[in-house]
């Protein structure tokens, strides 16, 4: 079992930065792939990016490439989403989720979400 808690959301002006944190509990957290997702009002949830258990592999949606980075500190059981050059269209509730690193595995563990609002 993994429990996830996001923090760090807030209101920021366009062009600004925010860092979201995803704190996890569970002694096997280090093996889990962690993804960041977001959902804007009236839109479907979309993946922003993910990071492998060891932190060596990341992937990002085209909409955030070059602006967002993901890192993790397994000693602290925490994954970070650094968001730079924020745009109003980045406004959404951001969620972190975890899945086992095997083919076909779904994201079964989710945090409660944190609101990010980017003003123009």
């Amino acid at each position: 079992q993994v429990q996830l808690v996001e923090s760090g959301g807030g209101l920021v002006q366009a062009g600004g930065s925010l860092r979201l944190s995803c704190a996890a509990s569970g002694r096997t957290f280090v093996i889990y792939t962690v993804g960041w997702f977001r959902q804007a009002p009236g839109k479907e949830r979309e993946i922003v990016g993910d990071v492998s258990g060891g932190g060596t592999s990341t992937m990002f949606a085209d909409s955030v490439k070059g602006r967002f980075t993901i890192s993790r500190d397994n000693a602290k059981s925490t994954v970070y989403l650094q968001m730079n050059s924020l745009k109003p269209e980045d406004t959404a509730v951001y969620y972190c989720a975890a899945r086992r690193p095997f083919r076909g595995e779904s994201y079964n563990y989710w945090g409660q979400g944190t609101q990010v609002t980017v003003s123009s």
Side-chain angles (χ1 to χ4, degrees), residues 59-79:
M59 80 81 176
F60 296 94
D62 287 343
S63 58
V64 305
K65 276 181 183 176
R67 300 189 297 123
F68 291 11
T69 59
I70 298 175
S71 60
R72 65 191 294 165
D73 183 342
N74 285 331
K76 297 181 179 179
S77 295
T78 302
V79 175

Side-chain angles (χ1 to χ4, degrees), residues 29-104:
F29 174 70
V30 66
I31 71 169
Y32 284 82
T33 294
V34 174
W36 283 96
F37 295 78
R38 66 186 181 186
Q39 187 166 22
K43 294 188 177 181
E44 293 187 353
R45 185 173 60 198
E46 62 175 356
I47 190 166
V48 173
D50 67 26
V51 61
S52 60
T56 57
S57 176
T58 57
M59 80 81 176
F60 296 94
D62 287 343
S63 58
V64 305
K65 276 181 183 176
R67 300 189 297 123
F68 291 11
T69 59
I70 298 175
S71 60
R72 65 191 294 165
D73 183 342
N74 285 331
K76 297 181 179 179
S77 295
T78 302
V79 175
Y80 305 98
L81 176 66
Q82 178 67 44
M83 305 184 293
N84 299 326
S85 302
L86 282 162
K87 304 175 181 180
E89 51 263 45
D90 294 318
T91 295
V93 178
Y94 284 71
Y95 302 88
C96 64
R99 65 174 177 83
R100 296 192 302 169
F102 307 123
R103 181 176 295 181

